[in-house]
Amino acid sequence: YRMGRIDIIRTKIETFLVNNNDDDVNNSIIQLLKSETITVRESAADICGQKKLYQATEFLITALKQETNPHVARSCMTALTRLQAYDAVPVIFEWMEHNRDKWGKQAVSASLKSIALAALKELDNENSYYEKLILL
């Protein structure tokens, strides 16, 4: 029961942040991509993508380059796809290449590879990175 209430409150907060267009709020969300807390980084990336916060693109790319958590990486990839961040293609591929232990046979995140493939299929105009990831 208590966990259900926490989820309801979290959903209301996320809805407010997604629907709010205040520059200070948007800048705060972007800064949360640097948080030490995994769930905060993950939520911030999700919100950036949901609200199409284009000014977050470079911050998401930087965050993905430094990210070690597969769930946060997945959220960054999803957000970058929603933001049509074509510059993120090599970064997405490199993250997947260097973190095979998080999506391979004993995946930490079962959906990570499919999210990365979808991102590369959408963003990689030449499909070269997409095809390389399929072969990994």
Side-chain angles (χ1 to χ4, degrees), residues 2-19:
R2 188 172 180 185
M3 290 305 292
R5 288 185 64 211
I6 291 170
D7 287 341
I8 290 169
I9 293 168
R10 179 180 175 190
T11 301
K12 287 182 179 185
I13 292 169
E14 286 183 0
T15 301
F16 167 77
L17 293 173
V18 168
N19 294 324

Side-chain angles (χ1 to χ4, degrees), residues 96 99-110 112-113 136:
M96 294 298 287
N99 291 279
R100 290 186 209 185
D101 61 314
K102 296 179 175 111
W103 60 269
K105 292 178 182 175
Q106 295 181 353
V108 177
S109 170
L112 183 56
K113 185 175 183 182
L136 282 183

Side-chain angles (χ1 to χ4, degrees), residues 4-50:
R5 288 185 64 211
I6 291 170
D7 287 341
I8 290 169
I9 293 168
R10 179 180 175 190
T11 301
K12 287 182 179 185
I13 292 169
E14 286 183 0
T15 301
F16 167 77
L17 293 173
V18 168
N19 294 324
N20 186 298
N21 288 316
D22 183 80
D23 287 339
D24 289 335
V25 171
N26 290 342
N27 290 332
S28 295
I29 293 167
I30 291 170
Q31 291 305 310
L32 290 174
L33 293 168
K34 300 176 187 174
S35 174
E36 291 183 20
T37 306
I38 292 169
T39 55
V40 170
R41 293 194 311 273
E42 184 179 10
S43 292
D46 289 337
I47 292 167
C48 287
Q50 288 174 31

